[in-house]
Amino acid sequence: MGQNANSVNIEEMPENRASYHHGDLRAALIAAGLATLDSQHSADMLSLRALARDAGVSATAVYRHFPDKAALLNALSLAGLDAMAAAQHAAALGAGTGSARARFCASGAAYVRFAVAHPALFRLMWRQDVACDPLSRPIAENHPAMAGLRRGIDALLPDAATPAERRAAALAAWSLVHGLAMLALDGQINLVDNEIDAVVAGHFDRQVRD
């Protein structure tokens, strides 16, 4: 992540297009795709040929890394999840040596702020794996973004909590931040930034005492 923890990490693309080595072009195309998503409202508008033009390479070169648009969207989705997980981790660290609840709330608020900062990317991230139920998988198999949620819940609940109770708590926490994010993205509410912390912290003040 860059200086702004809510910003997607987009590397500066080299001025000399001929300097691309194997693998560098793929990273540059992902960076260009992320930047394009931040400038428009939908991933449906992305074009492999347009990204090739922006990168100064042929469409054939692009197709060596992304055989079709679906492959590009999958790569962008994963990059978005990685960036969001990094933003959440940074927010939790920013809560310092406070309580587990304070760190968990900071991470949840970062989820909402990432969505508001990157609406098209956020929608894409959850559109790409709609059949998945990450809460049904072992934590070790989850992406760091979801693993962080579940480990945060484990830190808050008593050791005697059952798997069903842990799942229910994780689902409630995810539903809270995801629902708040989608209400803002869909224009159902005018979300003021400091409301994010108030809503997230207020929920856990009622649900969790540590």
Side-chain angles (χ1 to χ4, degrees):
M1 301 299 297
Q3 293 180 346
N4 181 349
N6 288 323
S7 298
V8 176
N9 185 16
I10 298 177
E11 300 287 345
E12 290 292 334
M13 292 168 56
E15 294 182 2
N16 181 3
R17 306 298 185 184
S19 69
Y20 285 127
H21 299 291
H22 181 69
D24 292 344
L25 177 57
R26 186 179 191 279
L29 290 168
I30 291 175
L34 293 172
T36 300
L37 282 176
D38 275 348
S39 68
Q40 62 190 30
H41 299 294
S42 171
D44 296 332
M45 299 169 63
L46 277 175
S47 162
L48 283 173
R49 290 187 177 277
L51 288 181
R53 185 170 60 250
D54 291 343
V57 297
S58 69
T60 302
V62 174
Y63 285 113
R64 293 194 189 104
H65 296 282
F66 302 108
D68 52 32
K69 185 174 177 178
L72 171 65
L73 294 181
N74 282 331
L76 293 174
S77 175
L78 179 58
L81 283 169
D82 291 344
M84 187 179 73
Q88 291 185 271
H89 181 66
L93 289 178
T97 57
S99 67
R101 189 192 69 82
R103 294 191 296 274
F104 190 68
C105 287
S107 174
Y111 181 105
V112 181
R113 290 191 171 98
F114 186 90
V116 172
H118 309 286
L121 175 59
F122 185 80
R123 292 182 188 277
L124 173 66
M125 286 156 47
W126 301 115
R127 193 178 82 184
Q128 290 303 103
D129 202 6
V130 293
C132 167
D133 180 358
L135 296 178
S136 68
R137 300 177 181 177
I139 292 179
E141 294 180 8
N142 282 161
H143 185 276
M146 184 56 63
L149 164 69
R150 297 177 68 185
R151 291 191 178 107
I153 288 294
D154 285 346
L156 291 174
L157 294 185
D159 293 341
T162 66
E165 289 171 333
R166 294 176 191 278
R167 176 185 169 87
L171 182 57
W174 188 14
S175 299
L176 171 74
V177 295
H178 194 82
L180 182 59
M182 293 308 299
L183 284 171
L185 297 193
D186 289 341
Q188 300 301 311
I189 56 173
N190 294 318
L191 187 63
V192 179
D193 185 75
N194 61 11
E195 287 182 315
I196 298 172
D197 298 299
V199 171
V200 174
H203 171 79
F204 287 102
D205 281 340
R206 293 187 295 272
Q207 299 296 325
V208 177
R209 303 289 182 182
D210 67 347

